[in-house]
Amino acid sequence: MSGLGKGIFASSLAKLMQDKGLTVAPMKMEGYLNIDSGTLNPYRHGEVFVLEDGLETDMDLGTYERILNQNLNRKNFITAGQIYTEILERERRGGYLGRDVQMIPHVTGAVKMKIRELAMSGPKGQQVDVVFVEVGGTAGDYENSFYIEALRELAFEEGDGSTCFVALTYIIEPAILGEQKSKAAQLGMKRLMEAGIQPHIIACRAKNPVTTKVMQKISMFSNVPSKRVFSLHDRESIYVIPDAMRSAGLDREILSILGLHDRVDARAEDIARTTWNSFARRLAAPRDHHIVIGIPGKYAALRDAYASIEKAIEHCAVELGAQIDARWLDTSDVASPEKTAQLLEGCDAVIVPGGFGTRGIEGKIHCVEYARTHRIPFLGICLGFQMAVIEHARNVLGLKTANSTEFDTKSAYPVISELPDQKRIEGIMGGTMRLGSQDVAITPSTLASFLFGGAKVVRERFRHRYEVDPVFIDRLEVGGMIFSGRHPNHPIMQVLELPISVHPYFIGAQFHPELVSRPLSPQPMFMGLVAAAIAQREPAFAQTPAGLRWVRSASTSPTAASRS
Ligand code: GLN
């Protein structure tokens, strides 16, 4: 079943191999017929994660990128929809030379081809050491059965020692019995074995550590020696899982099964392990600071819809030793400044995240206004960036009906609009989203430049259709808004901010900074937000090394000086 933590388990396993100096290439296989995850409802599937090359994928790819600290691309994500489309298009071109096109060998063949292509995608076109395939869904599903068959064929073709099958199963613990039961897990294993797959390793997902008795039963009924059965019970954090697997000897078992012992770089492993464990330790350590971040979002009820934002906040919390209480707020009925004040009471920072559609929009604009006028550190992301522009136009410039054409096509001041011309510049037709990594040119002597350590160009990931209408740029800037990040050649505004003389920390990004934050390298705009919030509560923090790096004060701010 979904939500078991298969992605976390799989990426931790991949990390174990990567830590040993092996190159790993993960691949997620989805059974659904959608071509990508772009049209999936975040309520049902969690957030849409955007890769560098613009592919919209499942949130598990975000887990892989964060845990492996490795950028992925469209080779790392396949759906049944992609496979079928490819095959049907080829069929129409006459590519099957009069043969009937079948699930076996054509569909399974296409899957095997993708895996082999990925295997050859290492640096300089070399082979990677391990391709790491995660099949979505459950053994026995209709949707993924052709993937499972393809993997069976692949293992047979490549021969012994080339494949290691890992099954993740679930151990139930019915409250009325108060003990773990292995029957459901056994039946699941049977299903897998009926499909011709003999697992080499079994991970037992459970609430509590899985008892020896249960592990022995599973071992016995599935022909897997008990040292290859692992208890994957709930832990205080996901970051301790790689080390728990290592302690259980899972890494050595996999190396033996795949014959990879001689490729291990022990020194690299020591370093990787120390770094990661120090992160896990800092995560568990008591925190010196405490702040509350209010996040008004449409999918407030389902946190998976903002998984990367949660993670980005966590990365900063560990880096800065802060206990961060992320408060998800529903703005659907926040129509007045009074209600907004109630909603944001006690918040030390505000993030207005990305989103689509009208619901909750006016409430979000009120939240931006509140953060601006109360000098609460603010980060606007994508839609949140656009809301900050609209709020500025309405309340600072007095253009009361300013809006985005996404919400009001008749607005007299469409400060945010869809610009087909620019879409053509980027080679994308109007009506399609601007997706994937783009360069952002950073204006020197701005907050953005301070945060990015003086970098002139940074690369960030986008997913939007609307943007600041260039007609309004001058007016917005004269009104005090600074566009400190732009497309290098075209008038596409990508970062906005307010000068420090007006606000301690007010910044927005047309891109999604959360998508590139990693445990050991948190994204700077999030770092700045958290640091500014801590400094508001504890002014002395600004003088600490972390404070000096991340809190911009009037004295470290040439912008304020040069502008006054
Ligand atoms: N709806 C806005 C747009 O399409 C913002 C998108 C987003 O926040 N990802 O431009």
Side-chain angles (χ1 to χ4, degrees), residues 309-559:
I309 293 186
E310 283 221 321
K311 289 294 162 196
I313 292 174
E314 184 179 70
H315 305 157
C316 298
V318 173
E319 188 73 24
L320 296 173
Q323 179 69 45
I324 303 181
D325 173 8
R327 212 172 273 171
W328 299 85
L329 312 166
D330 185 358
T331 51
S332 309
D333 60 341
V334 190
S336 69
E338 295 71 36
K339 279 212 163 146
T340 311
Q342 272 171 19
L343 196 71
L344 293 179
E345 204 193 319
C347 290
D348 303 292
V350 174
I351 297 177
V352 177
F356 296 83
T358 327
R359 192 155 61 83
I361 285 298
E362 291 302 318
K364 285 183 184 174
I365 296 175
H366 282 303
C367 288
V368 179
E369 179 181 13
Y370 187 88
R372 181 176 59 82
T373 54
H374 290 74
R375 298 171 60 81
I376 298 174
F378 168 84
L379 170 61
I381 298 175
C382 205
L383 182 71
F385 165 99
Q386 298 171 356
M387 297 293 101
V389 172
I390 295 170
E391 194 276 329
H392 196 79
R394 287 187 187 176
N395 301 328
V396 179
L397 304 182
L399 311 175
K400 287 294 170 211
T401 57
N403 214 326
S404 161
T405 54
E406 182 177 3
F407 313 120
D408 178 3
T409 45
K410 303 203 171 59
S411 165
Y413 306 107
V415 287
I416 304 291
S417 66
E418 200 175 8
L419 299 168
D421 274 2
Q422 286 182 358
K423 295 294 178 291
R424 260 199 300 276
I425 292 169
E426 306 237 317
I428 310 166
M429 290 320 284
T432 312
M433 278 204 276
R434 183 167 177 251
L435 286 166
S437 288
Q438 300 277 344
D439 282 346
V440 180
I442 303 290
T443 313
S445 305
T446 55
L447 171 59
S449 171
F450 171 79
L451 294 172
F452 286 108
K456 294 199 173 60
V457 179
V458 297
R459 228 171 142 67
E460 293 279 347
R461 293 189 200 171
F462 290 79
R463 180 176 187 242
H464 68 121
R465 186 169 289 135
Y466 299 84
E467 60 201 47
V468 179
D469 189 325
V471 166
F472 291 96
I473 294 173
D474 286 348
R475 248 197 282 185
L476 289 161
E477 289 206 310
V478 169
M481 181 159 270
I482 300 168
F483 289 108
S484 52
R486 299 168 183 238
H487 186 289
N489 311 312
H490 299 288
I492 307 180
M493 302 301 104
Q494 328 209 91
V495 181
L496 65 75
E497 62 187 71
L498 291 179
I500 192 149
S501 51
V502 174
H503 195 287
Y505 191 90
F506 189 100
I507 198 161
Q510 182 60 83
F511 47 82
H512 288 270
E514 72 276 20
L515 299 180
V516 298
S517 187
R518 304 272 166 88
L520 300 170
S521 50
Q523 204 279 347
M525 297 170 86
F526 280 91
M527 284 296 280
L529 179 82
V530 174
I534 298 173
Q536 296 257 77
R537 271 210 187 190
E538 309 161 32
F541 173 74
Q543 297 313 317
T544 64
L548 289 170
R549 169 62 187 94
W550 294 109
V551 182
R552 193 179 65 151
S553 64
S555 60
T556 55
S557 164
T559 306

Side-chain angles (χ1 to χ4, degrees), residues 239-350:
Y239 300 102
V240 302
I241 293 176
D243 228 35
M245 290 179 177
R246 207 179 268 124
S247 312
L250 219 52
D251 55 341
R252 279 193 309 277
E253 294 306 315
I254 294 174
L255 292 177
S256 302
I257 293 162
L258 295 176
L260 288 173
H261 281 290
D262 57 347
R263 292 194 211 174
V264 172
D265 178 345
R267 232 177 68 85
E269 184 173 24
D270 278 350
I271 297 170
R273 228 179 135 173
T274 315
T275 322
W276 190 257
N277 290 348
S278 102
F279 177 84
R281 243 193 328 277
R282 277 185 291 148
L283 182 88
R287 313 283 173 87
D288 296 336
H289 316 288
H290 182 237
I291 61 159
V292 178
I293 304 185
I295 311 176
K298 176 167 152 187
Y299 303 107
L302 192 81
R303 315 256 297 258
D304 268 2
Y306 299 106
S308 293
I309 293 186
E310 283 221 321
K311 289 294 162 196
I313 292 174
E314 184 179 70
H315 305 157
C316 298
V318 173
E319 188 73 24
L320 296 173
Q323 179 69 45
I324 303 181
D325 173 8
R327 212 172 273 171
W328 299 85
L329 312 166
D330 185 358
T331 51
S332 309
D333 60 341
V334 190
S336 69
E338 295 71 36
K339 279 212 163 146
T340 311
Q342 272 171 19
L343 196 71
L344 293 179
E345 204 193 319
C347 290
D348 303 292
V350 174

Side-chain angles (χ1 to χ4, degrees), residues 62-348:
T63 309
Y64 280 111
E65 284 206 345
R66 284 186 287 263
I67 293 193
L68 297 177
N69 192 21
Q70 184 173 316
N71 286 336
L72 304 179
N73 59 48
R74 53 187 70 236
K75 283 203 179 92
N76 303 99
F77 183 71
I78 63 175
T79 69
Q82 286 172 23
I83 302 273
Y84 291 150
T85 304
E86 247 180 64
I87 287 180
L88 294 178
E89 282 173 355
R90 181 161 169 208
E91 187 277 329
R92 288 293 81 187
R93 289 194 310 269
Y96 293 97
L97 307 172
R99 281 194 61 172
D100 44 350
V101 184
Q102 294 181 301
M103 291 302 284
I104 304 172
H106 300 108
V107 173
T108 53
V111 174
K112 288 184 286 185
M113 178 75 92
K114 299 254 179 217
I115 297 173
R116 289 179 169 128
E117 275 169 8
L118 183 61
M120 294 307 295
S121 71
K124 300 191 203 106
Q126 285 160 346
Q127 261 182 278
V128 299
D129 290 310
V130 187
V131 173
F132 224 90
V133 181
E134 177 187 345
V135 182
T138 306
D141 286 349
Y142 280 111
E143 281 90 24
N144 64 20
S145 55
F146 70 95
Y147 287 135
I148 292 182
E149 167 60 15
L151 292 167
R152 186 198 64 74
E153 292 171 16
L154 186 80
F156 175 68
E157 288 166 9
E158 296 290 330
D160 260 359
S162 64
T163 319
C164 172
F165 284 109
V166 182
L168 178 65
T169 187
Y170 188 58
I171 305 297
I172 52 173
E173 200 167 342
I176 29 162
L177 299 181
E179 66 170 323
Q180 292 176 331
K181 290 295 200 180
S182 65
K183 186 64 98 200
Q186 284 175 42
L187 292 174
M189 286 307 140
K190 238 189 178 145
R191 260 291 166 88
L192 195 60
M193 286 153 82
E194 278 166 15
I197 298 223
Q198 167 63 56
H200 296 93
I201 287 185
I202 299 177
C204 304
R205 190 72 190 85
K207 188 167 184 305
N208 296 302
V210 182
T211 62
T212 318
K213 191 176 121 205
V214 165
M215 301 240 262
Q216 274 166 356
K217 259 196 191 162
I218 293 198
S219 156
M220 151 76 193
F221 283 103
S222 48
N223 311 314
V224 176
S226 55
K227 65 177 176 186
R228 292 183 177 172
V229 181
F230 175 70
S231 166
L232 186 68
H233 47 272
D234 288 355
R235 320 234 170 198
E236 62 280 17
S237 102
I238 60 166
Y239 300 102
V240 302
I241 293 176
D243 228 35
M245 290 179 177
R246 207 179 268 124
S247 312
L250 219 52
D251 55 341
R252 279 193 309 277
E253 294 306 315
I254 294 174
L255 292 177
S256 302
I257 293 162
L258 295 176
L260 288 173
H261 281 290
D262 57 347
R263 292 194 211 174
V264 172
D265 178 345
R267 232 177 68 85
E269 184 173 24
D270 278 350
I271 297 170
R273 228 179 135 173
T274 315
T275 322
W276 190 257
N277 290 348
S278 102
F279 177 84
R281 243 193 328 277
R282 277 185 291 148
L283 182 88
R287 313 283 173 87
D288 296 336
H289 316 288
H290 182 237
I291 61 159
V292 178
I293 304 185
I295 311 176
K298 176 167 152 187
Y299 303 107
L302 192 81
R303 315 256 297 258
D304 268 2
Y306 299 106
S308 293
I309 293 186
E310 283 221 321
K311 289 294 162 196
I313 292 174
E314 184 179 70
H315 305 157
C316 298
V318 173
E319 188 73 24
L320 296 173
Q323 179 69 45
I324 303 181
D325 173 8
R327 212 172 273 171
W328 299 85
L329 312 166
D330 185 358
T331 51
S332 309
D333 60 341
V334 190
S336 69
E338 295 71 36
K339 279 212 163 146
T340 311
Q342 272 171 19
L343 196 71
L344 293 179
E345 204 193 319
C347 290
D348 303 292

